[in-house]
Amino acid sequence: MRYSSQVKSISYLKANAADVLTQLAEQREPMVITQNGEAKAVIQDVASYEQTQETLALLKILALGSQEIEAGKVKPVADVVGRLRAKRAAE
């Protein structure tokens, strides 16, 4: 993804805030905000932000799972299924 087309100055943001929000919602691409010619912030629409957070959460779960596998904290699926069936039968 290239952000070069989505770079705007802080003064542009101030003068066109409503248009910027509409553009963010329609294009669903983040926008880089500059101040004195330097990138200072990235803004994005709420739906994209929520999607990013969900993706990060899933990646974290996968990383934790990989760490547990490497640490040997796994059990054969047959043992787990047997234990769950025994628990269900006891209820």
Side-chain angles (χ1 to χ4, degrees):
M1 178 182 293
R2 298 190 143 248
Y3 297 117
S4 58
S5 64
Q6 292 292 94
V7 177
K8 302 292 181 191
S9 67
I10 189 83
S11 57
Y12 178 88
L13 177 63
K14 290 177 183 177
N16 301 288
D19 292 336
V20 167
L21 292 177
T22 300
Q23 181 182 352
L24 289 170
E26 289 174 356
Q27 295 181 1
R28 299 206 52 195
E29 291 183 6
M31 183 177 289
V32 176
I33 303 300
T34 63
Q35 185 177 33
N36 299 325
E38 292 184 34
K40 293 291 183 176
V42 177
I43 59 174
Q44 66 184 144
D45 65 290
V46 172
S48 295
Y49 175 78
E50 289 173 343
Q51 184 178 11
T52 299
Q53 293 304 305
E54 289 175 11
T55 300
L56 289 173
L58 290 172
L59 288 171
K60 185 173 183 176
I61 290 168
L62 287 172
L64 291 172
S66 293
Q67 289 173 356
E68 288 186 354
I69 290 169
E70 289 176 14
K73 297 180 180 178
V74 295
K75 295 183 180 185
V77 70
D79 293 352
V80 175
V81 170
R83 197 173 85 222
L84 290 172
R85 286 184 177 153
K87 184 177 179 180
R88 181 182 245 176
E91 292 178 350

